[in-house]
Amino acid sequence: MSDAPTPPQATQVPVERTHHGDTVVDPYEWLRDKESQEVLDHLHAENAYTEVVTADQQSLRDTFFAETKHRTVETDLSVPSRQGDWWYFTRTIEGEQHPVFCRVPAAPDDGGLAAWTPPEVEPGVALAGEETYFDTNAEAAKHPFYQLGGMTRDQAGHLLAYSEDTSGDEHHSLRFRDLSSGETLDEAVENVHGGPVLDPAGERAYYMVADAAWRPHQLWVHTVGTPAASDRMLLQIDDEQLWTGIETSADERELLIISGNAEYDESRLLDLTAPDAEPQLLISAARRLLHTVEPIELDGDGVLLITHNQSGANNALSLTSTAALRAQSEDEPLDLGTTVLPHEETVKLEGVAVTAAEVLVSSRRDTIESVQRLPLATLRAVRDGATPTPTSQLDGLRFDADLYTCFLASARYEAPLFRVAYTSWFTPPRIYDIPHPTSGEGSPEPILRRETPVHDVDLDAYRATRIWAPTDDVDASGAQVQIPVTVLHHRDVTPDSGNPTLIYGYGSYEISMDPSLQIASLSLLDRGIVVAVAHVRGGGELGRGWYEDGKKLAKPNTFRDFVTATDHLVTTGWADPERIAAWGGSAGGLLMGAVANMAPEKYVAIVAQVPFVDNLTSILDPDLPLSALEWEEWGNPITDEDVYWCMKSYSPYENVHDAAYPAIAAVTSLNDTRVLYVEPTKWVQRLREHQQGEAPIVFKIEMDGGHGGASGRYEAWKDRAWDYAFIAHHLGVAADAGR
């Protein structure tokens, strides 16, 4: 190692932090000043060092990128979706980073299936009357970074409202385009959070504005054709633990406003047909109810479907009305009306979507997400006194695979069909249109509209296997807790204890790691690497309880589960104990940092992307972006001493110690507002101080990117190739070792 380059060493400037009688001295907190030239120089030096140290991985990177590029159909398209008198779809073009948004006129809507059968679109072949209404590549060419925050159109297809981020910091500009002329209007609204919502007539745009902590807290309305200075604020949410989002109701007559976090929500409705309407409170945050709201018209009456956790953690569905909710005093127990779908211990009710023909129910059972159908006749019967119907007894979509994902892609209120997306670990995404049942018929068969093509690969050559890693814990029923682990491998790979293995994990925010085809990972599988996904507690794969057992004071379960899953891969013969790598990002990056401290000897390499590794420092500062919102996930260490000591016990940055750490790559972006670049910057410095082995600790920072890295699909492929090359190199796998 004597010829190895010297890693950058940041100056140490001690800064004290004291909470609950505990004083911590942090020598690298000064690196938080991203305007400092000294900080920027240090970050550039880190990139230069990483480039030198990983130079011998370039062949792997080039190979992995080339294989992903070759297998991906670069000139591709989406299935057109109907809105009003137009079919809308996107094209991606070989050599271009971003999608091109197109549309073509639709035949008159007579309510039949024929009018809702999308036109056949071919790559590179324009349809009659096709228009390009937004070329993202042309917009992105003007900036080093470009990402759409969202776009929406009025019902008639005359106006487009969109928001764009040109730096990666998620500060968006709201702009408007006349779809008849193709001209972008002069008016704009700056510093918008996320995407806008247009009223059906395209006269008003509703948007959110964030506070200093980058929490969307104000709802504004902009009248198209007027200056932004005349915009009107409709709502301000002062509770620093609430994040506010907006969307239209299924019939587009109302704006749904949900202010919430991981544990409770506050809901409001705004009449989009009335220009001077004000938001109407339905259920306040004081109720501490986790819920969503869907307006529905039933026999001419406007009522509400409430998905909520009042009767159990896995949610139930109730039927009530706006008037009934607004008539209740905050001093009395909340009455949610009639139970339609009762709570079940084995099924997590995720939510519902309303159409004029039926209600579509999204649920999860045994880790699998799918869609069930709730007939309006059943809804009426329950309203009129019939026994509630469990979600598990509803008619659902059926697929042959054991491990798959099926979710609602779109459900236009007036359409005679709805659309779902289906995929599995080794099935490319499929789009199905499913007709609503008509009188006297059963459930119509799904209509396959498209399967995303994949070039030059035999997907039958791969296997997905589910194993369960036993823990020492028992659940509320007294049963042993077992961790689901998905094992992905080439069919020639068997559990013979000799396989290099990459294990991935996340385990936070009730986010599930659902099956989906990852083309880039095929390059690993082809080289005999086993890719395992550990569905650890803190995710949502096994219902709400699975999430709650991996948050706040129970957060250490997430880290122990990952190590348990690692050990089980060895015990079952899937993994060579001397060749295991780990990978995770954001909260999964926190997981990587925690297991690096807990069990560094079990891994030869770890990649931590945008890692939340100085989590205690961040959560202790409510002025930092999103910190106060995170208290519902991690607990509040400012006021709760138990939470403080729990977080300190696993904080990756604060628990680095003398150890032979594996090779570690921390990957981040300068303009990330969700996990600040300073966290991995500091972490890497401390890791190097305590590294007792010879494995390198490297740091790679995208200077023009955000939480998702650089913008554009080719840049994303290059980023993934970099990560996989680092992993494969340390697993001892060569670029030319493919099967």
Side-chain angles (χ1 to χ4, degrees):
M1 296 291 288
S2 58
D3 295 332
T6 302
Q9 174 60 57
T11 303
Q12 296 194 17
V13 181
V15 174
E16 289 190 356
R17 181 196 77 208
T18 300
H19 288 273
H20 304 293
D22 179 45
T23 298
V24 174
V25 179
D26 187 346
Y28 299 118
E29 179 62 17
W30 69 273
L31 289 166
R32 189 175 300 277
D33 183 7
K34 66 185 292 187
E35 304 301 322
S36 164
Q37 188 59 50
E38 186 177 359
V39 170
L40 294 175
D41 289 345
H42 175 77
L43 298 178
H44 284 296
E46 287 282 11
N47 273 342
Y49 171 75
T50 297
E51 187 173 346
V52 172
V53 170
T54 64
D56 56 348
Q57 299 166 26
Q58 188 61 50
S59 176
L60 275 165
R61 291 178 212 146
D62 293 343
T63 300
F64 288 167
F65 174 78
E67 289 177 358
T68 298
K69 187 172 184 289
H70 174 71
R71 287 166 168 162
T72 303
V73 176
E74 296 180 69
T75 299
D76 202 10
L77 45 90
S78 65
V79 179
S81 297
R82 180 163 188 159
Q83 181 183 0
D85 295 330
W86 295 88
W87 288 103
Y88 293 89
F89 58 99
T90 61
R91 292 185 183 270
T92 55
I93 302 170
E94 184 174 357
E96 299 287 1
Q97 298 269 20
H98 303 276
V100 177
F101 293 85
C102 309
R103 69 177 185 172
V104 66
D109 181 12
D110 59 3
L113 286 176
W116 287 84
T117 300
E120 294 285 342
V121 185
E122 298 179 32
V125 180
L127 295 172
E130 181 176 332
E131 300 176 2
T132 293
Y133 66 92
F134 193 90
D135 184 348
T136 318
N137 299 289
E139 303 301 325
K142 308 170 188 175
H143 311 280
F145 177 94
Y146 190 86
Q147 191 168 67
L148 284 169
M151 62 166 53
T152 183
R153 303 169 297 265
D154 65 349
Q155 285 184 342
H158 296 322
L159 183 71
L160 174 73
Y162 64 97
S163 61
E164 58 184 9
D165 172 14
T166 58
S167 66
D169 62 4
E170 300 184 48
H171 288 258
H172 295 90
S173 298
L174 171 58
R175 304 190 187 282
F176 302 90
R177 181 167 296 184
D178 183 332
L179 293 181
S180 300
S181 66
E183 296 297 320
T184 300
L185 306 185
D186 290 338
E187 62 196 270
V189 183
E190 301 299 333
N191 289 319
V192 169
H193 190 285
V197 170
L198 278 176
D199 77 295
E203 297 174 348
R204 298 177 303 281
Y206 299 84
Y207 61 90
M208 297 300 302
V209 170
D211 61 13
W214 206 230
R215 174 184 67 92
H217 73 133
Q218 291 178 345
L219 171 64
W220 288 72
V221 59
H222 171 82
T223 301
V224 179
T226 66
S230 62
D231 289 1
R232 182 165 62 99
M233 187 176 75
L234 299 174
L235 177 68
Q236 177 168 311
I237 303 296
D238 293 323
D239 187 336
E240 60 188 359
Q241 296 185 66
L242 294 181
W243 176 290
T244 302
I246 55 175
E247 62 178 309
T248 58
S249 60
D251 61 7
E252 299 185 342
R253 296 179 59 84
E254 294 178 282
L255 186 71
L256 309 177
I257 309 164
I258 300 292
S259 305
N261 54 45
E263 297 192 339
Y264 58 92
D265 299 299
E266 186 165 86
S267 54
R268 291 175 172 83
L269 288 180
L270 175 72
D271 185 355
L272 288 176
T273 66
D276 297 324
E278 299 289 336
Q280 301 295 305
L281 179 66
L282 300 178
I283 300 174
S284 73
R287 296 292 193 178
R288 290 303 189 262
L289 185 74
L290 198 63
H291 69 281
T292 59
V293 177
E294 290 292 340
I296 181 173
E297 185 174 304
L298 196 62
D299 299 331
D301 294 327
V303 291
L304 302 175
L305 288 173
I306 311 289
T307 304
H308 61 86
N309 68 342
Q310 187 180 68
S311 55
N314 278 341
N315 292 337
L317 183 70
S318 294
L319 181 69
T320 185
S321 68
T322 298
L325 290 176
R326 289 184 57 79
Q328 297 181 49
S329 166
E330 292 285 335
D331 297 329
E332 59 184 339
L334 179 62
D335 182 358
L336 293 173
T338 302
T339 298
V340 177
L341 302 176
H343 175 267
E344 294 183 83
E345 292 294 338
T346 58
V347 178
K348 171 69 185 301
L349 175 60
E350 303 282 10
V352 300
V354 169
T355 75
E358 60 183 326
V359 176
L360 304 169
V361 179
S362 296
S363 67
R364 184 181 298 275
R365 185 175 188 177
D366 292 333
T367 79
I368 302 300
E369 180 183 11
S370 195
V371 178
Q372 283 76 40
R373 313 172 79 142
L374 174 60
L376 296 185
T378 301
L379 195 59
R380 293 187 182 98
V382 173
R383 176 200 61 186
D384 296 338
T387 302
T389 302
T391 303
S392 58
Q393 295 181 18
L394 296 177
D395 182 29
L397 306 182
R398 302 284 190 268
F399 297 95
D400 293 335
D402 293 328
L403 303 175
Y404 65 86
T405 298
C406 174
F407 61 88
L408 192 64
S410 64
R412 299 291 301 179
Y413 182 75
E414 72 282 7
L417 44 75
F418 63 96
R419 180 168 290 177
V420 300
Y422 167 86
T423 186
S424 74
W425 292 110
F426 299 117
T427 303
R430 295 175 181 168
I431 296 296
Y432 290 96
D433 277 346
I434 303 174
H436 293 302
T438 56
S439 179
E441 71 172 27
S443 296
E445 289 296 313
I447 304 169
L448 178 62
R449 297 300 191 193
R450 187 166 189 271
E451 178 175 299
T452 301
V454 181
H455 273 159
D456 197 24
V457 59
D458 177 14
L459 292 174
D460 289 335
Y462 309 98
R463 301 287 183 268
T465 302
R466 171 63 53 79
I467 62 175
W468 295 82
T471 72
D472 294 330
D473 299 338
V474 296
D475 62 21
S477 68
Q480 183 184 40
V481 174
Q482 298 191 76
I483 313 304
V485 181
T486 301
V487 179
L488 309 176
H489 60 98
H490 193 278
R491 64 188 170 198
D492 295 340
V493 171
T494 59
D496 60 3
S497 302
N499 304 313
T501 298
L502 169 62
I503 179 170
Y504 173 83
Y506 186 77
S508 292
Y509 303 106
E510 204 176 354
I511 294 174
S512 300
M513 300 296 104
D514 289 325
S516 65
L517 175 64
Q518 302 296 319
I519 290 178
S521 69
L522 300 180
S523 294
L524 301 180
L525 302 180
D526 285 345
R527 288 162 175 80
I529 297 174
V530 169
V531 176
V533 180
H535 304 280
V536 295
R537 281 175 284 186
E541 287 90 342
L542 293 176
R544 180 73 180 185
W546 197 248
Y547 165 54
E548 292 176 342
D549 282 346
K551 64 180 294 191
K552 291 189 174 179
L553 295 177
K555 190 64 199 172
N557 285 337
T558 302
F559 317 131
R560 288 192 289 266
D561 287 356
F562 192 86
V563 175
T564 296
T566 302
D567 289 341
H568 194 63
L569 287 165
V570 173
T571 301
T572 53
W574 282 110
D576 178 351
E578 303 301 321
R579 291 195 297 166
I580 300 176
W583 174 45
S586 196
L590 164 62
L591 172 59
M592 293 300 100
V595 300
N597 289 330
M598 290 173 60
E601 73 285 355
K602 295 184 185 292
Y603 309 96
V604 296
I606 290 176
V607 172
Q609 295 177 315
V610 289
F612 189 36
V613 284
D614 190 22
N615 54 304
L616 182 54
T617 300
S618 293
I619 302 302
L620 283 168
D621 187 350
D623 293 329
L624 289 178
L626 310 184
S627 284
L629 286 164
E630 297 288 338
W631 292 339
E632 298 305 325
E633 179 73 19
W634 315 96
N636 184 348
I638 300 173
T639 60
D640 191 324
E641 186 171 355
D642 289 340
V643 169
Y644 176 88
W645 288 109
C646 178
M647 292 186 71
K648 186 171 182 180
S649 74
Y650 65 74
S651 169
Y653 179 60
E654 300 200 34
N655 285 280
V656 173
H657 57 279
D658 287 348
Y661 281 96
I664 293 178
V667 183
T668 193
S669 296
L670 181 64
N671 295 323
D672 190 346
T673 56
R674 296 174 184 266
V675 178
L676 300 184
Y677 75 92
V678 67
E679 297 199 23
T681 307
K682 293 164 58 175
W683 181 52
V684 163
Q685 289 294 304
R686 184 158 284 177
L687 281 169
R688 289 182 184 141
E689 289 176 7
H690 292 274
Q691 173 64 294
Q692 302 299 296
E694 296 186 348
I697 310 292
V698 299
F699 179 71
K700 176 174 172 280
I701 182 167
E702 172 60 55
M703 300 301 285
D704 291 312
H707 194 61
S711 62
R713 57 176 177 161
Y714 293 108
E715 296 308 312
W717 296 348
K718 290 176 183 177
D719 287 346
R720 187 51 45 84
W722 194 99
D723 299 335
Y724 282 176
F726 185 87
I727 289 163
H729 171 81
H730 288 284
L731 289 176
V733 175
D736 59 356
R739 293 174 183 270

